[in-house]
Amino acid sequence: MRNAITGLLLATLATPALAAGSHAGGHGEMAVGEPGQKSKVTQTVRVSMKETDDGRMIFMPASFKVRKDQTIRFAVKNDGEIDHEFVLDQEDKVMEHKALMEKFPEMEHDDPNAIRLAPGESGEIVWKFTNDGVFKVACLVPGHFDAGMHGDVTVAKK
Protein backbone atom coordinates (compact mmCIF):
# COMPACT_ATOMS: atom_id res chain seq x y z
CA MET A 1 0.00 0.00 0.00
CA ARG A 2 2.83 2.37 0.85
CA ASN A 3 4.42 1.84 -2.59
CA ALA A 4 1.07 2.57 -4.27
CA ILE A 5 0.71 5.86 -2.37
CA THR A 6 4.31 6.82 -3.16
CA GLY A 7 3.74 5.98 -6.84
CA LEU A 8 0.54 8.03 -6.95
CA LEU A 9 2.28 11.00 -5.35
CA LEU A 10 5.18 10.79 -7.80
CA ALA A 11 2.82 10.55 -10.77
CA THR A 12 0.88 13.57 -9.51
CA LEU A 13 4.06 15.58 -9.17
CA ALA A 14 5.54 14.46 -12.49
CA THR A 15 2.55 15.27 -14.70
CA PRO A 16 2.59 19.07 -14.21
CA ALA A 17 6.38 19.12 -14.22
CA LEU A 18 6.48 17.36 -17.58
CA ALA A 19 3.89 19.75 -18.98
CA ALA A 20 5.74 22.87 -17.85
CA GLY A 21 9.34 21.67 -17.77
CA SER A 22 11.38 20.08 -15.06
CA HIS A 23 11.80 21.74 -11.70
CA ALA A 24 15.49 20.92 -11.91
CA GLY A 25 16.59 23.48 -14.47
CA GLY A 26 15.56 21.53 -17.58
CA HIS A 27 13.36 24.18 -19.21
CA GLY A 28 15.69 25.07 -22.08
CA GLU A 29 13.99 27.62 -24.33
CA MET A 30 10.55 28.74 -23.21
CA ALA A 31 8.04 31.14 -24.78
CA VAL A 32 9.40 33.89 -22.52
CA GLY A 33 12.96 33.19 -23.65
CA GLU A 34 15.97 31.35 -22.32
CA PRO A 35 18.67 31.65 -19.68
CA GLY A 36 21.05 34.43 -20.66
CA GLN A 37 24.82 34.75 -20.56
CA LYS A 38 26.20 37.23 -18.03
CA SER A 39 28.67 38.51 -20.64
CA LYS A 40 25.73 39.55 -22.89
CA VAL A 41 23.74 41.54 -20.27
CA THR A 42 22.74 44.94 -21.65
CA GLN A 43 20.67 46.14 -18.69
CA THR A 44 20.30 45.44 -14.99
CA VAL A 45 16.84 45.77 -13.45
CA ARG A 46 16.75 46.00 -9.65
CA VAL A 47 13.65 44.45 -8.10
CA SER A 48 12.54 44.61 -4.48
CA MET A 49 10.10 42.07 -3.03
CA LYS A 50 8.24 43.01 0.13
CA GLU A 51 5.03 43.23 2.11
CA THR A 52 3.21 46.52 2.70
CA ASP A 53 1.61 47.82 5.89
CA ASP A 54 -1.86 47.20 4.44
CA GLY A 55 -1.17 43.46 3.88
CA ARG A 56 -0.33 43.56 0.19
CA MET A 57 2.74 41.87 -1.25
CA ILE A 58 4.53 43.61 -4.09
CA PHE A 59 7.39 43.77 -6.53
CA MET A 60 8.94 47.19 -6.95
CA PRO A 61 8.84 47.84 -9.83
CA ALA A 62 6.05 45.49 -10.89
CA SER A 63 6.19 46.08 -14.64
CA PHE A 64 9.13 46.01 -17.01
CA LYS A 65 9.74 46.88 -20.65
CA VAL A 66 12.50 45.17 -22.59
CA ARG A 67 13.36 44.44 -26.22
CA LYS A 68 13.29 41.14 -28.05
CA ASP A 69 16.73 39.47 -27.99
CA GLN A 70 17.83 41.66 -25.06
CA THR A 71 19.62 39.98 -22.14
CA ILE A 72 18.57 41.37 -18.76
CA ARG A 73 19.98 40.82 -15.29
CA PHE A 74 17.20 40.93 -12.72
CA ALA A 75 18.94 41.81 -9.43
CA VAL A 76 16.31 40.69 -6.93
CA LYS A 77 16.27 41.48 -3.22
CA ASN A 78 13.82 40.30 -0.61
CA ASP A 79 13.23 43.43 1.48
CA GLY A 80 10.31 41.74 3.24
CA GLU A 81 9.93 39.75 6.42
CA ILE A 82 8.98 36.38 4.84
CA ASP A 83 10.18 34.24 1.92
CA HIS A 84 9.25 35.41 -1.59
CA GLU A 85 9.79 34.15 -5.14
CA PHE A 86 10.43 35.88 -8.45
CA VAL A 87 9.18 33.64 -11.27
CA LEU A 88 9.29 34.73 -14.91
CA ASP A 89 7.10 32.89 -17.44
CA GLN A 90 4.10 33.12 -19.74
CA GLU A 91 0.83 33.74 -17.91
CA ASP A 92 -0.74 30.30 -18.41
CA LYS A 93 2.42 28.59 -17.12
CA VAL A 94 2.48 30.92 -14.09
CA MET A 95 -1.13 30.02 -13.30
CA GLU A 96 -0.42 26.27 -13.68
CA HIS A 97 2.59 26.60 -11.39
CA LYS A 98 0.54 28.65 -8.89
CA ALA A 99 -2.04 25.85 -8.64
CA LEU A 100 0.70 23.26 -8.16
CA MET A 101 2.35 25.36 -5.44
CA GLU A 102 -0.99 25.60 -3.61
CA LYS A 103 -1.10 21.79 -3.50
CA PHE A 104 2.60 21.36 -2.64
CA PRO A 105 3.74 24.57 -0.86
CA GLU A 106 7.11 23.16 0.20
CA MET A 107 8.14 22.37 -3.39
CA GLU A 108 11.66 23.56 -4.08
CA HIS A 109 12.78 24.88 -7.45
CA ASP A 110 16.01 24.95 -9.36
CA ASP A 111 14.84 26.74 -12.49
CA PRO A 112 16.78 29.42 -14.35
CA ASN A 113 13.62 31.58 -14.63
CA ALA A 114 12.87 31.57 -10.89
CA ILE A 115 14.46 32.45 -7.59
CA ARG A 116 13.23 32.07 -4.01
CA LEU A 117 14.78 34.30 -1.37
CA ALA A 118 14.57 34.43 2.42
CA PRO A 119 14.20 37.84 4.09
CA GLY A 120 17.26 40.01 3.47
CA GLU A 121 18.66 37.76 0.73
CA SER A 122 19.60 38.89 -2.78
CA GLY A 123 20.00 36.95 -5.99
CA GLU A 124 19.79 37.33 -9.74
CA ILE A 125 18.26 35.91 -12.86
CA VAL A 126 19.98 36.51 -16.19
CA TRP A 127 17.45 36.14 -18.98
CA LYS A 128 17.41 36.54 -22.77
CA PHE A 129 13.99 37.48 -24.14
CA THR A 130 13.75 35.64 -27.48
CA ASN A 131 10.08 36.39 -28.21
CA ASP A 132 8.00 39.53 -28.12
CA GLY A 133 4.76 39.73 -26.15
CA VAL A 134 3.57 40.22 -22.58
CA PHE A 135 4.80 37.81 -19.94
CA LYS A 136 4.37 37.54 -16.16
CA VAL A 137 6.50 37.84 -13.07
CA ALA A 138 4.95 36.39 -9.95
CA CYS A 139 5.55 35.15 -6.45
CA LEU A 140 4.01 31.70 -6.27
CA VAL A 141 4.36 31.11 -2.54
CA PRO A 142 0.73 30.28 -1.66
CA GLY A 143 -1.29 33.45 -1.08
CA HIS A 144 1.33 35.90 -2.34
CA PHE A 145 0.05 36.17 -5.94
CA ASP A 146 -3.46 36.80 -4.60
CA ALA A 147 -2.05 39.47 -2.27
CA GLY A 148 -0.81 41.39 -5.33
CA MET A 149 2.68 40.00 -5.91
CA HIS A 150 2.73 39.81 -9.70
CA GLY A 151 3.45 42.03 -12.66
CA ASP A 152 4.10 42.14 -16.39
CA VAL A 153 7.12 42.08 -18.65
CA THR A 154 6.40 43.63 -22.03
CA VAL A 155 8.87 42.52 -24.69
CA ALA A 156 8.85 44.78 -27.74
CA LYS A 157 10.02 43.76 -31.19
CA LYS A 158 13.44 45.17 -32.02
Side-chain angles (χ1 to χ4, degrees), residues 31-75:
V32 69
E34 62 191 30
Q37 297 176 16
K38 286 185 181 185
S39 63
K40 305 240 172 142
V41 168
T42 59
Q43 181 181 355
T44 296
V45 175
R46 299 193 185 289
V47 181
S48 171
M49 304 186 293
K50 63 183 180 178
E51 311 85 46
T52 63
D53 291 338
D54 63 359
R56 295 188 69 234
M57 296 184 190
I58 60 172
F59 293 118
M60 287 185 59
S63 62
F64 314 93
K65 293 184 184 200
V66 300
R67 291 180 319 279
K68 183 179 173 187
D69 294 324
Q70 187 175 16
T71 301
I72 302 290
R73 174 186 294 120
F74 290 99

Side-chain angles (χ1 to χ4, degrees), residues 101-128:
M101 287 292 295
E102 288 168 352
K103 290 181 184 176
F104 305 102
E106 299 304 315
M107 183 189 317
E108 296 204 12
H109 306 91
D110 185 19
D111 297 318
N113 64 316
I115 190 168
R116 185 173 185 144
L117 299 170
E121 285 187 335
S122 296
E124 68 179 29
I125 293 175
V126 176
W127 200 257
K128 181 178 180 183

Side-chain angles (χ1 to χ4, degrees), residues 43 46 55 64 73 81 88 94 96-97 100 116 147:
Q43 181 181 355
R46 299 193 185 289
F64 314 93
R73 174 186 294 120
E81 296 179 15
L88 171 66
V94 165
E96 285 176 20
H97 195 161
L100 189 60
R116 185 173 185 144

Side-chain angles (χ1 to χ4, degrees), residues 18-34:
L18 291 172
S22 165
H23 279 77
H27 282 278
E29 186 166 343
M30 303 162 57
V32 69
E34 62 191 30

Side-chain angles (χ1 to χ4, degrees), residues 69-87:
D69 294 324
Q70 187 175 16
T71 301
I72 302 290
R73 174 186 294 120
F74 290 99
V76 184
K77 181 164 187 202
N78 184 348
D79 290 312
E81 296 179 15
I82 57 177
D83 285 6
H84 291 296
E85 291 183 335
F86 182 91
V87 178

